[in-house]
Amino acid sequence: MSDEQPATEQQWPPLAPAPGRSQLADGTSCRVAGEGPPVVLLHGIGLDQTIWRDSVTRLRDDFCVITYDLLGHGDSPSPNPADGLAGFSRQLGGVLRAFEVERAALVGHALGALVAQHFAIHQPGLVARLALLNSVFERDDETRSAVLGRVAEVERRGAEALVEHALSRWISADFRSANPGLIARLKIQLAGNESEGFVDAYRIFAAADLDLAGRLAAIRAPTLVLTGELDAGATPGMSRAIAAAIPGARFGIAPGMRHLMLLEAATSINRTLHGFLRG
């Protein structure tokens, strides 16, 4: 992944709804593109399915790519706080049933990676492959307290309070400077998370790694674990520990990348995903 070229503004499609959006019976908003073995892409906290636009473009020639808004995000309904990750897993199961998918590869980023892990533990027969991007693992008390502090900040001041802090941690200054249009759209997307459902989803995210503690050895799907070298939240050490806990998992680091490497290093990340998904 070290041959990534600097992105330019012209390379990026708009982060706006695309044609073909569907609303499932449970209210989940989703899209499907391409034909072939099914791949489901699960986005991170504060984002929505449009974050995968570049990945869909890269994968849709060889796969049937399904994206959807996680509970509490985009146009999907709110989660039940008492359900924790299990509610997100049920939503994923509903997406697979809606498209009559018997077995799919899952690619999850951040919160989406935690959902994918939970689903692979509880529904192993439905998961063909598993790619985990920028996933947290067994956060210490200080780190968890910091996340809960951000949840409280959203409750007090709205999601707008998180935007600058999130982008400075997620994306390098050089990339932000080179891509003002993309960054402006990301700011609108992040600041738009004003619903109570988003706060509930954020609180679930803060404790989600506790739901998975000591259980990753149950995952049997071929697994790839990737993070950015400079990801301060989902650190290389965390990803290395995830890969060590999952039998046979592969592990990699994107040099110089932060939390949103799927945007900043799109060419190399999507090439790596494509190769892994093809087996």
Side-chain angles (χ1 to χ4, degrees), residues 176-240:
R176 297 198 306 273
S177 177
N179 296 275
L182 174 65
I183 299 305
R185 292 189 291 272
L186 279 172
K187 287 180 177 180
I188 292 171
Q189 187 178 100
L190 289 167
N193 290 301
E194 295 295 343
S195 70
E196 183 177 337
F198 171 66
V199 175
D200 290 335
Y202 206 166
R203 188 172 287 109
I204 290 170
F205 170 69
D209 53 316
L210 295 175
D211 287 352
L212 302 173
R215 304 168 72 180
L216 298 188
I219 294 175
R220 289 293 179 262
T223 301
L224 174 66
V225 187
L226 299 175
T227 197
E229 178 187 13
L230 304 179
D231 192 330
T235 65
M238 289 180 176
S239 287
R240 189 176 287 108

Coordinates of all heavy atoms in Angstrom, one line a residue, residues 176-240:
R176 N -6.7 17.1 3.5 CA -7.8 18.0 3.7 C -7.5 19.3 2.8 O -8.5 19.8 2.2 CB -7.9 18.4 5.1 CG -8.3 17.2 6.0 CD -8.8 17.7 7.4 NE -8.0 18.6 8.1 CZ -7.0 18.2 8.9 NH1 -6.7 16.9 9.1 NH2 -6.2 19.1 9.6
S177 N -6.3 19.8 2.8 CA -6.0 20.9 2.0 C -6.2 20.7 0.5 O -6.6 21.6 -0.2 CB -4.6 21.4 2.3 OG -4.2 22.5 1.5
A178 N -5.8 19.5 0.0 CA -5.9 19.2 -1.4 C -7.3 18.9 -1.9 O -7.6 18.9 -3.1 CB -5.0 18.0 -1.7
N179 N -8.2 18.6 -1.0 CA -9.6 18.2 -1.3 C -10.7 19.0 -0.6 O -11.5 18.4 0.2 CB -9.7 16.7 -1.1 CG -8.8 15.8 -1.9 OD1 -9.1 15.5 -3.0 ND2 -7.7 15.5 -1.3
P180 N -10.7 20.3 -0.8 CA -11.7 21.1 0.0 C -13.1 20.7 -0.3 O -14.0 20.8 0.7 CB -11.4 22.5 -0.5 CG -10.7 22.4 -1.8 CD -9.9 21.1 -1.7
G181 N -13.5 20.4 -1.5 CA -14.9 20.0 -1.8 C -15.3 18.7 -1.0 O -16.4 18.7 -0.5
L182 N -14.5 17.7 -1.1 CA -14.8 16.5 -0.3 C -14.9 16.7 1.1 O -15.8 16.2 1.8 CB -13.7 15.5 -0.6 CG -13.7 14.2 0.2 CD1 -15.0 13.4 -0.2 CD2 -12.5 13.3 0.0
I183 N -14.0 17.5 1.7 CA -14.0 17.8 3.1 C -15.2 18.6 3.5 O -15.9 18.3 4.5 CB -12.7 18.6 3.6 CG1 -11.5 17.7 3.3 CG2 -12.8 19.0 5.0 CD1 -11.5 16.4 3.9
A184 N -15.7 19.5 2.6 CA -16.9 20.3 2.9 C -18.1 19.3 3.0 O -19.0 19.5 3.8 CB -17.1 21.3 1.8
R185 N -18.1 18.3 2.1 CA -19.2 17.4 2.1 C -19.2 16.5 3.3 O -20.2 16.1 3.9 CB -19.2 16.6 0.8 CG -19.6 17.4 -0.4 CD -19.8 16.6 -1.7 NE -18.6 16.0 -2.2 CZ -17.7 16.5 -3.0 NH1 -18.0 17.8 -3.5 NH2 -16.6 15.9 -3.5
L186 N -18.0 16.1 3.7 CA -17.9 15.3 4.9 C -18.3 16.0 6.2 O -19.0 15.5 7.1 CB -16.4 14.8 5.1 CG -16.0 13.6 4.3 CD1 -14.5 13.4 4.5 CD2 -16.7 12.4 4.7
K187 N -18.0 17.3 6.2 CA -18.5 18.2 7.3 C -20.0 18.2 7.4 O -20.6 18.1 8.5 CB -17.9 19.6 7.2 CG -16.4 19.7 7.5 CD -15.9 21.1 7.4 CE -14.4 21.2 7.7 NZ -13.9 22.6 7.6
I188 N -20.6 18.4 6.2 CA -22.1 18.4 6.2 C -22.6 17.1 6.7 O -23.6 17.0 7.4 CB -22.6 18.7 4.8 CG1 -22.2 20.2 4.4 CG2 -24.1 18.5 4.7 CD1 -22.5 20.5 3.0
Q189 N -22.0 16.0 6.2 CA -22.5 14.6 6.6 C -22.4 14.4 8.1 O -23.3 13.9 8.7 CB -21.7 13.6 5.8 CG -22.1 12.2 6.0 CD -21.3 11.2 5.2 OE1 -20.4 10.5 5.7 NE2 -21.6 11.1 3.9
L190 N -21.2 14.8 8.7 CA -21.0 14.6 10.1 C -21.9 15.4 10.9 O -22.5 15.0 11.9 CB -19.5 14.8 10.4 CG -18.5 13.8 9.9 CD1 -17.1 14.3 10.1 CD2 -18.7 12.5 10.7
A191 N -22.0 16.7 10.5 CA -22.8 17.6 11.3 C -24.3 17.3 11.2 O -25.1 17.7 12.1 CB -22.6 19.1 10.8
G192 N -24.7 16.5 10.2 CA -26.1 16.2 10.0 C -26.6 15.1 11.0 O -27.8 14.8 11.0
N193 N -25.7 14.5 11.8 CA -26.1 13.5 12.7 C -26.7 14.1 14.0 O -26.1 14.1 15.1 CB -24.9 12.6 13.1 CG -24.4 11.8 11.9 OD1 -25.1 11.0 11.4 ND2 -23.2 12.0 11.5
E194 N -27.9 14.6 13.8 CA -28.6 15.3 15.0 C -29.6 14.5 15.7 O -30.2 15.0 16.6 CB -29.2 16.6 14.4 CG -28.2 17.6 13.9 CD -27.3 18.2 15.0 OE1 -27.6 18.0 16.2 OE2 -26.2 18.7 14.6
S195 N -29.9 13.3 15.2 CA -31.0 12.5 15.8 C -30.6 11.9 17.1 O -29.4 11.6 17.4 CB -31.5 11.5 14.8 OG -30.5 10.4 14.7
E196 N -31.6 11.6 17.9 CA -31.4 10.9 19.2 C -30.8 9.5 18.8 O -30.0 8.9 19.6 CB -32.7 10.7 20.0 CG -32.5 10.0 21.3 CD -33.8 10.0 22.1 OE1 -34.7 10.9 21.8 OE2 -34.0 9.1 22.9
G197 N -31.2 8.9 17.7 CA -30.8 7.6 17.3 C -29.3 7.6 17.1 O -28.6 6.6 17.3
F198 N -28.7 8.7 16.6 CA -27.2 8.7 16.4 C -26.5 8.7 17.7 O -25.5 8.0 17.9 CB -26.8 10.0 15.6 CG -25.3 10.2 15.6 CD1 -24.5 9.3 14.9 CD2 -24.8 11.3 16.2 CE1 -23.1 9.4 14.9 CE2 -23.4 11.4 16.2 CZ -22.6 10.5 15.6
V199 N -27.0 9.4 18.7 CA -26.4 9.4 20.0 C -26.5 8.0 20.6 O -25.5 7.5 21.2 CB -27.2 10.4 21.0 CG1 -26.6 10.3 22.4 CG2 -27.0 11.8 20.5
D200 N -27.6 7.3 20.4 CA -27.7 5.9 20.9 C -26.7 5.0 20.2 O -26.0 4.2 20.8 CB -29.1 5.4 20.6 CG -30.2 6.0 21.5 OD1 -29.8 6.5 22.6 OD2 -31.3 6.1 21.2
A201 N -26.5 5.2 18.9 CA -25.6 4.4 18.1 C -24.1 4.7 18.6 O -23.3 3.8 18.7 CB -25.7 4.7 16.6
Y202 N -23.9 6.0 18.9 CA -22.5 6.4 19.3 C -22.2 5.8 20.7 O -21.1 5.3 21.0 CB -22.5 7.9 19.4 CG -21.1 8.5 19.3 CD1 -21.0 9.9 19.0 CD2 -19.9 7.8 19.4 CE1 -19.8 10.5 18.9 CE2 -18.7 8.4 19.2 CZ -18.6 9.7 19.0 OH -17.4 10.3 18.9
R203 N -23.2 5.7 21.6 CA -23.0 5.1 22.9 C -22.8 3.6 22.8 O -22.0 3.1 23.5 CB -24.3 5.5 23.8 CG -24.0 5.0 25.2 CD -25.2 5.5 26.1 NE -25.1 6.9 26.4 CZ -25.9 7.8 25.9 NH1 -26.9 7.4 25.1 NH2 -25.8 9.1 26.1
I204 N -23.5 3.0 21.9 CA -23.3 1.5 21.6 C -21.9 1.3 21.1 O -21.2 0.4 21.6 CB -24.3 1.0 20.6 CG1 -25.7 1.0 21.3 CG2 -23.9 -0.4 20.2 CD1 -26.8 0.6 20.3
F205 N -21.4 2.2 20.2 CA -20.1 2.1 19.7 C -19.0 2.2 20.8 O -18.0 1.5 20.8 CB -19.8 3.2 18.7 CG -18.4 3.3 18.2 CD1 -17.8 2.4 17.5 CD2 -17.7 4.5 18.6 CE1 -16.5 2.5 17.1 CE2 -16.4 4.6 18.2 CZ -15.8 3.6 17.4
A206 N -19.3 3.1 21.8 CA -18.3 3.3 22.9 C -18.1 2.0 23.7 O -17.0 1.9 24.3 CB -18.8 4.4 23.8
A207 N -19.0 1.1 23.7 CA -18.9 -0.1 24.5 C -18.8 -1.4 23.7 O -18.7 -2.5 24.2 CB -20.0 -0.2 25.5
A208 N -18.9 -1.2 22.4 CA -19.0 -2.4 21.5 C -17.9 -3.4 21.6 O -18.1 -4.6 21.5 CB -19.2 -1.9 20.0
D209 N -16.6 -2.9 21.8 CA -15.5 -3.8 21.9 C -15.6 -4.7 23.1 O -15.1 -5.8 23.1 CB -14.2 -3.1 21.8 CG -14.1 -2.0 22.8 OD1 -15.0 -1.2 23.0 OD2 -13.0 -1.9 23.5
L210 N -16.4 -4.3 24.1 CA -16.6 -5.1 25.3 C -17.5 -6.3 24.9 O -17.3 -7.4 25.5 CB -17.3 -4.3 26.4 CG -16.4 -3.2 27.0 CD1 -17.3 -2.4 28.0 CD2 -15.2 -3.7 27.7
D211 N -18.4 -6.1 24.0 CA -19.3 -7.2 23.6 C -18.5 -8.3 22.9 O -18.9 -9.5 22.8 CB -20.4 -6.7 22.6 CG -21.4 -5.9 23.3 OD1 -21.5 -5.8 24.5 OD2 -22.3 -5.3 22.6
L212 N -17.3 -8.0 22.3 CA -16.6 -8.9 21.5 C -15.4 -9.5 22.3 O -14.7 -10.4 21.8 CB -16.0 -8.2 20.3 CG -17.1 -7.6 19.3 CD1 -16.4 -6.8 18.2 CD2 -18.0 -8.7 18.8
A213 N -15.1 -9.0 23.5 CA -13.9 -9.4 24.3 C -13.9 -10.9 24.5 O -14.8 -11.5 24.9 CB -13.9 -8.7 25.6
G214 N -12.8 -11.5 24.1 CA -12.6 -12.9 24.3 C -13.3 -13.8 23.4 O -13.3 -15.1 23.6
R215 N -14.0 -13.3 22.3 CA -14.8 -14.1 21.5 C -14.3 -14.2 20.0 O -15.0 -14.9 19.2 CB -16.2 -13.6 21.5 CG -16.8 -13.4 22.9 CD -18.1 -12.6 23.0 NE -19.2 -13.3 22.4 CZ -20.4 -12.8 22.3 NH1 -20.7 -11.6 22.8 NH2 -21.4 -13.5 21.8
L216 N -13.3 -13.5 19.7 CA -12.9 -13.5 18.3 C -12.4 -14.8 17.8 O -12.4 -15.1 16.5 CB -11.8 -12.4 18.1 CG -12.3 -11.0 18.4 CD1 -11.2 -10.0 17.9 CD2 -13.6 -10.6 17.7
A217 N -11.9 -15.7 18.6 CA -11.4 -17.0 18.2 C -12.5 -17.8 17.6 O -12.2 -18.8 16.8 CB -10.8 -17.8 19.4
A218 N -13.8 -17.5 17.8 CA -14.9 -18.2 17.2 C -15.1 -17.9 15.7 O -15.8 -18.6 15.0 CB -16.2 -17.9 17.9
I219 N -14.4 -16.8 15.2 CA -14.6 -16.5 13.8 C -13.8 -17.5 12.9 O -12.6 -17.7 13.2 CB -14.0 -15.0 13.6 CG1 -14.9 -14.0 14.3 CG2 -14.0 -14.7 12.1 CD1 -14.5 -12.6 14.2
R220 N -14.4 -18.0 11.9 CA -13.8 -19.0 11.1 C -13.6 -18.5 9.6 O -12.9 -19.2 8.8 CB -14.7 -20.3 11.1 CG -14.6 -21.0 12.4 CD -13.2 -21.6 12.7 NE -13.1 -22.3 13.9 CZ -12.6 -21.8 15.0 NH1 -12.2 -20.5 15.0 NH2 -12.5 -22.4 16.1
A221 N -14.2 -17.4 9.2 CA -14.1 -17.0 7.9 C -12.6 -16.4 7.6 O -12.0 -15.9 8.5 CB -15.1 -15.8 7.6
P222 N -12.1 -16.6 6.4 CA -10.8 -16.0 6.1 C -10.9 -14.5 6.4 O -11.9 -13.8 5.9 CB -10.7 -16.3 4.6 CG -11.5 -17.5 4.4 CD -12.6 -17.4 5.3
T223 N -10.0 -13.9 7.1 CA -10.1 -12.6 7.6 C -8.8 -11.7 7.3 O -7.7 -12.2 7.4 CB -10.3 -12.6 9.1 OG1 -11.5 -13.3 9.4 CG2 -10.4 -11.2 9.7
L224 N -9.1 -10.5 6.9 CA -8.1 -9.5 6.6 C -8.3 -8.3 7.6 O -9.4 -7.8 7.7 CB -8.1 -9.0 5.2 CG -7.2 -7.9 4.8 CD1 -5.7 -8.3 4.9 CD2 -7.5 -7.3 3.4
V225 N -7.3 -7.9 8.3 CA -7.4 -6.8 9.3 C -6.4 -5.7 8.8 O -5.2 -6.0 8.7 CB -7.0 -7.3 10.7 CG1 -7.3 -6.1 11.7 CG2 -7.8 -8.5 11.1
L226 N -6.9 -4.5 8.6 CA -6.1 -3.4 8.1 C -6.4 -2.2 9.0 O -7.5 -1.9 9.4 CB -6.4 -3.1 6.7 CG -6.2 -4.1 5.6 CD1 -6.7 -3.6 4.2 CD2 -4.7 -4.5 5.5
T227 N -5.3 -1.4 9.2 CA -5.5 -0.1 9.8 C -4.5 0.9 9.3 O -3.5 0.5 8.5 CB -5.5 -0.1 11.3 OG1 -6.1 1.1 11.9 CG2 -4.1 -0.3 11.9
G228 N -4.6 2.2 9.6 CA -3.6 3.1 9.2 C -2.5 3.3 10.2 O -2.7 3.1 11.4
E229 N -1.3 3.5 9.7 CA -0.1 3.6 10.6 C -0.3 4.7 11.7 O 0.1 4.6 12.8 CB 1.1 4.0 9.7 CG 2.4 4.2 10.5 CD 3.5 4.7 9.7 OE1 3.2 5.1 8.5 OE2 4.7 4.7 10.1
L230 N -1.1 5.8 11.3 CA -1.2 6.9 12.2 C -2.7 7.0 12.8 O -3.1 8.1 13.3 CB -0.9 8.2 11.5 CG 0.5 8.3 10.9 CD1 0.7 9.6 10.2 CD2 1.6 8.0 11.9
D231 N -3.4 5.9 12.7 CA -4.8 5.9 13.3 C -4.6 5.9 14.8 O -4.2 4.9 15.4 CB -5.5 4.7 12.8 CG -7.0 4.8 13.1 OD1 -7.4 5.4 14.1 OD2 -7.8 4.2 12.4
A232 N -5.1 7.0 15.4 CA -4.9 7.2 16.9 C -6.0 6.4 17.7 O -5.8 6.1 18.8 CB -5.0 8.7 17.3
G233 N -7.1 6.1 17.0 CA -8.2 5.4 17.7 C -8.2 3.9 17.5 O -8.4 3.2 18.5
A234 N -8.0 3.5 16.3 CA -7.9 2.1 15.9 C -6.5 1.8 15.5 O -6.1 1.8 14.4 CB -8.9 1.8 14.8
T235 N -5.7 1.7 16.5 CA -4.2 1.7 16.4 C -3.7 0.4 15.7 O -4.4 -0.6 15.7 CB -3.5 1.8 17.7 OG1 -3.8 0.6 18.5 CG2 -4.0 3.1 18.5
P236 N -2.5 0.5 15.1 CA -1.9 -0.7 14.6 C -1.8 -1.9 15.7 O -2.0 -3.0 15.3 CB -0.5 -0.3 14.2 CG -0.7 1.2 13.8 CD -1.7 1.7 14.8
G237 N -1.5 -1.5 16.9 CA -1.5 -2.5 18.0 C -2.8 -3.2 18.2 O -2.9 -4.4 18.4
M238 N -3.9 -2.4 18.1 CA -5.2 -3.0 18.2 C -5.5 -4.0 17.0 O -6.0 -5.1 17.2 CB -6.3 -2.0 18.2 CG -6.4 -1.1 19.4 SD -7.7 0.1 19.3 CE -7.7 0.8 21.0
S239 N -5.2 -3.6 15.8 CA -5.4 -4.4 14.6 C -4.6 -5.7 14.7 O -5.0 -6.8 14.3 CB -5.2 -3.7 13.3 OG -6.2 -2.7 13.1
R240 N -3.3 -5.5 15.1 CA -2.4 -6.7 15.3 C -3.0 -7.7 16.3 O -3.0 -8.9 16.1 CB -1.1 -6.2 15.7 CG 0.0 -7.3 15.7 CD 1.4 -6.8 16.1 NE 1.9 -6.0 15.0 CZ 2.1 -4.7 15.1 NH1 1.7 -4.0 16.1 NH2 2.6 -4.0 14.1

